[in-house]
Amino acid sequence: SNEELRITNYELVVYPNPVSGKLRIRNYEFEKKELYNTLGELIFATKENEIDVSRYSKGVYFLRCGGQVKKVVVE
């Protein structure tokens, strides 16, 4: 249906990016969000729309959600 298509075509939006505290995720309220390091290791997963990254080392991470991947810089 068109409704389904519209939902799956949402763009995954993450902000702020670079981030030092809480990373916020828009458009994917009920999906699982997975945060990976540059080695491809899953380091965190949640269904929430916020991830506190303050405890992670500075560097590049990848957020995967709804079949999309966004590069996230922790500073």
Side-chain angles (χ1 to χ4, degrees), residues 21 27-29 34 38-39 44-46 54 60 62 64-66 69:
N27 292 348
Y28 283 94
E29 272 62 43
E34 297 174 327
T38 50
L39 301 176
F44 189 75
T46 184
S54 59
V60 174
F62 296 94
R64 186 170 142 192
C65 177
V69 175

Side-chain angles (χ1 to χ4, degrees), residues 15-71:
Y15 62 96
N17 193 9
V19 59
S20 54
K22 284 194 165 77
L23 181 70
R24 292 179 171 79
I25 299 132
R26 210 169 69 217
N27 292 348
Y28 283 94
E29 272 62 43
F30 306 109
E31 301 251 11
K32 186 164 74 170
K33 291 91 181 170
E34 297 174 327
L35 194 64
Y36 293 86
N37 62 19
T38 50
L39 301 176
E41 298 166 334
L42 177 64
I43 56 170
F44 189 75
T46 184
K47 286 196 172 182
E48 298 300 314
N49 284 332
E50 270 189 5
I51 298 174
D52 185 352
V53 298
S54 59
R55 65 185 184 277
Y56 297 126
S57 304
K58 294 179 181 183
V60 174
Y61 296 82
F62 296 94
L63 181 79
R64 186 170 142 192
C65 177
Q68 297 184 63
V69 175
K70 288 280 178 182
K71 181 174 152 182

